Amino acid sequence: MITNKKTIAMDLVISMFKDGRIDKTEAGHLLKGLNSQKTAVAIVGIGWKSPLSDNYNDMWDVISNKRTLIQACPKERITYASQLLGGLDTDEQNYHYGAILPDIDQFDYELFGFSHEDASLMDPSHRIMLQAAYRALEDAGHLSTDRRNEITGVYIAANFTANQITNYLKCIGDINMKSYMFNSTSFLATRLSNQFDFRGPSTVIENTCVSAAVALYEACNLLEMGKITSALVGGINISHLLDKRINLHEVFHHPSDIATKGYDDEPGGNYVGEGAIALYLKPLDKAIADQDRVHGIIRGIDTNNSGGVSVDFMQTSSEMIAQVVQGALIDANIRAEDITYVDGEGFCERIEQALEVKGLINGFQTSTQKKQYCALGISSANLGYSEEMLGLSNAVSCVLALKNKQIPPVYKFDTPSSYLDIINSPFYINDKLKDWEVEEGKKRIAASFSSGYGGGNALTIYEEYIPEQQNIQPWIKDSYLFCISGHTLVSFQQTISKFTEFIKRYKDMESASTLDFSYTVLARRQHYSPYRLAVVYLTLDDLYDSLNQWIIQNRSSSDIYYNEKRKKGVAEERDVEQDVLSALAKNDMREIAEYYVNGHAIDFNMLFHDEQPRLIDVPGYCFTQSKCWIGGEIRAYVDERPNQ
């Protein structure tokens, strides 16, 4: 199979050389690279903070059902924007529509080890990025991983320029070393490395709307070279410039009553998309060895710049888009006809979109002459145009489509753009949700394209992951254990409620497994103090009844263990270490429950050493969100330059 893939890629390189698209030196370099075995990169964790929620699965509901997050600017943001920009105008007609976060002031500062004062000094983008990274690591089951033997790189796509123009720091009115350290965009990545004990290279990338794809490109290259063992790739897009009268966001000038319509003759407008995304990546073989859940595989990726020979600085180059497609196909060792869904850039301006699609067509037609076999999508019509974050927004949209085995519809589509020759191209516009069918023995493959002002282009190719079938025997024990915790009483109570609702649904699913559920909750989630609850149960129905009983009565029983104990110190843990190990060896769930609620650290992996459990979706930990904003009145931003 590998030989066939290499042959395909080699044929493509030779074809490009014969057609004069690459020279002899570049062709030789590409052919040499194909002789080395490529390391597949797995996406094992996803975190997404959107205006809807911080659950990435909610985004699939939006995309697949032709919904949109775009609406009028939230009232909370109008208040903050008017203050930060030095005015008091709260007329929502003067503010942009978009997928805009309503709660940029909210943060669980205690969980991340900050005082309220320090958290309020911190630019909202830092706080939101921390929580998105937490969600990605939680989703991957690696929040509590010992990282001393790991080299984890951190690559964050962000916008320096927007922060300089309207800086949260300037509005504090007290610029000193501490406030600077809590706001600098360059610390977005290093703060994550410090918070989660990541010990690899850590950097922030700004390259307009191709930033996130470039961050992904850098991380994949280092993973493939073995320079790092894992990577956290993130993107953040928060805009304080929401006032229409400030001509800094001409991209988002639009009639307020027209939706974004990709590839349409009347494309409507572009709407800002705010949020944060984090992906946790590993080499595929390492992810499998670590019993990780693989959301999807990054099969190939390439980036380039349009240069300056044939286009101006602000123009798109179809020629260079075609080349970036060819480069990604070579990197993935596939033909274009293997890709059957593409999520496009999403910038809805007729000429720009025509140049983009022309470049994609020319790139695909290098290796296939098939017509109208690949769906062309545009998830930013649903989620907003997220600028620096765009490459990751498109990435997760593709991965969710692969996981659900469905091709999503475009949000709005009436009349094909007269600037596009879709009929004679490899593409078609899919306007209805449909099952994603593939030939037997083949995998579903998607691609996402992004580009940016200044000429950046990127194409990333994703492949579905199909795990090997395992013959797992039913996990039958005399009793099972459920443990849950919280660093505050509010988080504790809210998380219990979320799990109770989840178990109500999960216990009736055909795929429900007590083994997988128990493994995920016990061994792959973070456990906090002082609030801890443990339940010993026989069936998931019993567990549901016990949690309901706790919510109503709020007291312990023969099967429900609860305590409020601080985390035990090293000496205290050493005193009971052998007793805890003995309880785990005996599978004595009641004894383990007692140790747990009394604040002791438990290595729950010991309960599963003879099993082959899977990591599954369970509810995320509930943050205790508090208002973290500049104290008192916000100092109006004043341009202090002397009059000319």
Side-chain angles (χ1 to χ4, degrees), residues 263-326:
Y263 318 115
D264 197 277
D265 220 27
E266 294 185 5
N270 294 290
Y271 301 81
V272 63
E274 286 192 331
I277 294 177
L279 302 183
Y280 192 50
L281 311 178
K282 283 186 177 182
L284 179 59
D285 55 357
K286 178 173 170 55
I288 294 171
D290 292 343
Q291 292 182 285
D292 291 323
R293 173 181 47 176
V294 178
H295 292 294
I297 298 169
I298 300 175
R299 181 67 182 267
I301 185 169
D302 194 34
T303 69
N304 67 18
N305 192 278
S306 296
V309 176
S310 59
V311 295
D312 292 333
F313 180 70
M314 302 289 278
Q315 287 182 320
T316 298
S317 168
S318 292
E319 179 184 354
M320 295 308 295
I321 292 173
Q323 287 194 25
V324 88
V325 170
Q326 294 159 4

Side-chain angles (χ1 to χ4, degrees), residues 326-474:
Q326 294 159 4
L329 290 171
I330 290 170
D331 190 48
N333 287 350
I334 62 171
R335 290 190 175 94
E337 63 191 59
D338 296 321
I339 301 171
T340 46
Y341 176 67
V342 173
D343 197 357
E345 160 72 12
F347 187 75
C348 285
E349 194 280 326
R350 292 177 74 199
I351 295 177
E352 284 293 316
Q353 205 159 73
L355 291 170
E356 171 198 333
V357 174
K358 180 182 177 183
L360 292 173
I361 291 171
N362 291 343
F364 269 60
Q365 288 180 339
T366 300
S367 67
T368 183
Q369 295 302 312
K370 289 180 66 176
K371 307 295 184 187
Q372 294 203 299
Y373 72 91
C374 180
L376 193 57
I378 178 170
S379 61
S380 59
N382 309 84
L383 308 173
Y385 188 76
S386 55
E387 299 181 278
E388 274 70 18
M389 195 179 79
L390 181 68
L392 293 182
S393 175
N394 287 359
V396 180
S397 298
C398 286
V399 169
L400 291 174
L402 291 169
K403 288 182 66 177
N404 286 279
K405 297 178 171 52
Q406 292 180 306
I407 294 177
V410 294
Y411 171 59
K412 294 279 188 181
F413 183 71
D414 295 323
T415 306
S417 172
S418 56
Y419 288 15
L420 305 177
D421 186 11
I422 293 292
I423 292 177
N424 294 309
S425 80
F427 304 111
Y428 67 93
I429 308 301
N430 181 53
D431 60 354
K432 292 182 180 179
L433 180 67
K434 71 175 189 177
D435 291 337
W436 194 339
E437 304 289 349
V438 292
E439 295 178 20
E440 187 175 350
K442 287 194 173 184
K443 293 183 179 181
R444 295 166 181 84
I445 298 178
S448 67
F449 172 76
S450 57
S451 67
Y453 282 135
N457 305 296
L459 190 86
T460 311
I461 298 173
Y462 305 92
E463 181 180 271
E464 70 174 327
Y465 175 68
I466 303 175
E468 293 184 5
Q469 292 293 327
Q470 296 179 344
N471 184 21
I472 300 175
Q473 299 300 317

Side-chain angles (χ1 to χ4, degrees), residues 149-257:
N149 297 318
E150 292 283 327
I151 305 173
T152 303
V154 179
Y155 305 89
I156 305 298
N159 190 333
F160 291 91
T161 307
N163 285 353
Q164 290 172 342
I165 295 168
T166 309
N167 198 310
Y168 186 83
L169 179 64
K170 289 181 179 178
C171 300
I172 293 171
D174 182 16
I175 301 176
N176 52 47
M177 186 61 182
K178 185 176 184 179
S179 61
Y180 170 76
M181 295 292 283
F182 276 110
N183 281 269
S184 175
T185 307
S186 60
F187 297 138
L188 268 171
T190 53
R191 186 183 303 284
L192 298 180
S193 294
N194 177 264
Q195 182 73 44
F196 300 108
D197 194 24
F198 295 147
R199 305 186 181 198
S202 186
T203 189
V204 174
I205 294 171
E206 181 185 28
N207 195 353
T208 66
C209 302
V210 79
S211 299
V214 173
L216 202 59
Y217 176 79
E218 295 292 338
C220 288
N221 281 342
L222 288 176
L223 285 167
E224 290 174 13
M225 290 189 290
K227 297 285 188 179
I228 57 178
T229 57
S230 56
L232 185 81
V233 179
I236 180 83
N237 189 44
I238 306 295
S239 175
H240 293 309
L241 303 177
L242 297 169
D243 193 314
K244 291 180 182 177
R245 296 163 298 176
I246 298 173
N247 294 320
L248 300 170
H249 265 140
E250 292 186 0
V251 168
F252 301 118
H253 281 185
H254 51 77
S256 60
D257 60 340

